[in-house]
Amino acid sequence: MPRTAAPTLSSPIPRVADRDRRRTSASVVLRSVLEHGPVARSTIARLTGLSPASVTDYCARFTELGLIREAAAPRRSKGVGRPHVPVDLDDSRFVVGGVHVAVPHTTVALLDLRGRVVAERELKHSGDTEPYGVLARAADGLAALLDAAPGSRPLGVGFAAGGWVDRDSGTVVEHPLLGWREVPVREVLGARTGLPVHVDGHARALVNAERLFGRARGSRSVLHLFVGNVVDAAFATHDEVHHGPRSQAGTIAHMPVPGGTETCECGRVGCLQVELSERTLCRRARDAGVIQGVNPMHVVAAAGAGDRVAVRLLVERAGAVGRAARLLLDVLNPETVVVTEMGVVHREDCLAALRAGVGDERSAAVVPTSFPHSVLAVAGGSVALDVLYRDPLAASPEAI
């Protein structure tokens, strides 16, 4: 990794009420610049309810850190006084690294401060998912991306994965499909990259991505349902993602699916993950002669080429996802439901089946992911970006 002086993301634990207030105020100012920039400081004060002097102070500090900059030409006010000089996010200096570990591969990426993927690479596991080897290859992959982008300075690294991921300890507690148990991801990646590392489950990471950069921005409550090889969920209300003790919230693998037929390892029939996982989809497609391998995108490709069986498999799966989402809607009643599911991302008939499964009265609240072509990269990077936008003044100049 380049050893360049830059702000870094750290995670101090505030112990004083004033520090909490400063962190919250700094967060809402930077979020306002993200959402409305270029924007005048006076407008930020009106939007946030903070005093103009406080907004000016925070903007000056963010400018010193390189997080924002003054926009092009100042706007002349009609009254007496200085012109209004708008400020905007400075997305030209810094990036965050993103690491997402899935069952078949690891995705490494660089994201700018707007959550946009500026570089991405997929690293196949090739049958080897030993955790320390996977994390070593991820660190090397990030280093290669940074070497190819010499003008980008890293603030930190975000890591996301399915299974049981404990944010506070930075540990993958259990990921049965990878065979991981008690893997100290923060410690290992931090040692190999020399950067601050922040760790979370991918459904929670994607809730944060949606509320910062996606369709759920401004929603008072958001449910995210992720359906891949791992099936899990996350829920946020009033801008706070629910984690629960040791970050176990969102574990829905054994939630029953109405009409399910697959036998789960737990001995029951119709558990959510065994019914809807991409492994099950590919097995059904192989049994029907649609594909020969284990790549679910080959099912999507077959459907796009007009294979009716492939279409049926994808539409049926999307409908089952909708019925699962309806159960979660009944319990949590969120304003917005975001679904990351392969068929829904790529096909309108699958989105229609998803909404039909939810039911007409709630279907308008259900939307597909805002990041259809980069969802895994965004998941990893958003873990670090969430830290930045929650506590921007924790970024302090120091040698990396």
Side-chain angles (χ1 to χ4, degrees):
M1 290 285 178
R3 296 295 189 265
T4 310
T8 62
L9 300 180
S10 57
S11 301
I13 301 174
R15 291 181 172 85
V16 182
D18 285 348
R19 189 181 301 174
D20 259 344
R21 284 193 291 271
R22 286 196 299 271
R23 182 177 66 174
T24 300
S25 298
S27 175
V28 297
V29 170
L30 190 60
R31 287 278 299 274
S32 293
V33 177
L34 170 67
E35 294 176 19
H36 303 287
V39 59
R41 294 167 180 83
S42 58
T43 302
I44 297 173
R46 177 175 55 81
L47 291 169
T48 63
L50 296 171
S51 71
S54 293
V55 171
T56 297
D57 179 58
Y58 284 123
C59 286
R61 297 174 75 178
F62 294 153
T63 301
E64 290 174 4
L65 289 171
L67 299 176
I68 69 172
R69 60 186 171 189
E70 291 189 344
R75 298 199 309 269
R76 289 280 172 185
S77 63
K78 295 181 181 179
V80 178
R82 297 177 61 188
H84 295 293
V85 182
V87 293
D88 203 359
L89 205 66
D90 189 344
D91 54 21
S92 65
R93 300 188 187 193
F94 303 120
V95 294
V96 297
V99 176
H100 181 282
V101 178
V103 174
H105 56 76
T106 296
T107 300
V108 293
L110 302 178
L111 277 65
D112 69 14
L113 299 191
R114 297 186 189 277
R116 298 176 299 202
V117 177
V118 297
E120 181 178 0
R121 185 179 176 189
E122 189 177 283
L123 309 172
K124 297 287 187 184
H125 292 324
S126 301
D128 179 15
T129 58
E130 189 277 322
Y132 295 93
V134 168
L135 294 175
R137 290 190 291 273
D140 291 344
L142 281 178
L145 293 182
L146 284 166
D147 287 345
S152 298
R153 292 186 285 173
L155 287 173
V157 177
F159 172 95
W164 178 5
V165 181
D166 183 6
R167 176 188 62 169
D168 292 337
S169 67
T171 301
V172 173
V173 181
E174 186 176 25
H175 195 310
L177 296 182
L178 288 174
W180 288 20
R181 288 186 63 85
E182 299 291 349
V183 179
V185 172
R186 178 186 297 154
E187 177 184 332
V188 173
L189 274 182
R192 294 194 69 95
T193 64
L195 293 167
V197 175
H198 307 278
V199 176
D200 211 342
H202 62 193
R204 292 189 293 267
L206 288 168
V207 164
N208 287 326
E210 293 287 348
R211 67 175 184 78
L212 284 170
F213 314 113
R215 291 189 176 99
R217 179 184 286 178
S219 292
R220 290 166 294 182
S221 56
V222 186
L223 169 68
H224 184 273
L225 179 59
F226 185 97
V227 183
N229 281 307
V230 173
V231 180
D232 55 11
F235 180 64
T237 181
H238 298 296
D239 229 20
E240 289 291 335
V241 178
H242 180 61
H243 283 76
R246 286 210 76 188
S247 299
Q248 292 188 76
T251 302
I252 57 171
H254 298 289
M255 189 176 82
V257 176
T261 59
E262 296 284 335
T263 300
C264 182
E265 291 180 355
C266 73
R268 291 179 291 183
V269 173
C271 290
L272 188 63
Q273 184 162 290
V274 72
E275 285 290 335
L276 300 183
S277 76
E278 290 175 354
R279 287 184 169 189
T280 299
L281 173 68
C282 288
R283 194 206 73 226
R284 290 172 175 173
R286 289 195 302 273
D287 291 346
V290 174
I291 63 172
Q292 295 183 343
V294 295
N295 188 338
M297 286 304 299
H298 292 170
V299 185
V300 175
D307 189 306
R308 293 184 179 181
V309 176
V311 172
R312 176 178 59 80
L313 289 172
L314 291 171
V315 169
E316 287 178 351
R317 183 177 189 242
V321 172
R323 293 192 294 275
R326 183 171 62 199
L327 293 175
L328 295 171
L329 271 161
D330 290 342
V331 174
L332 299 171
N333 194 30
E335 184 176 309
T336 304
V337 180
V338 181
V339 176
T340 299
E341 190 272 335
M342 184 181 53
V344 171
V345 166
H346 292 284
R347 297 184 60 88
E348 287 295 324
D349 53 0
C350 289
L351 179 58
L354 170 77
R355 289 175 168 161
V358 169
D360 291 341
E361 70 282 0
R362 303 297 299 273
S363 62
V366 181
V367 296
T369 176
S370 303
F371 317 102
H373 305 297
S374 56
V375 65
L376 302 184
V378 169
S382 290
V383 178
L385 288 170
D386 174 60
V387 173
L388 171 66
Y389 283 102
R390 286 189 183 278
D391 196 2
L393 291 181
S396 58
E398 53 186 80
I400 300 180

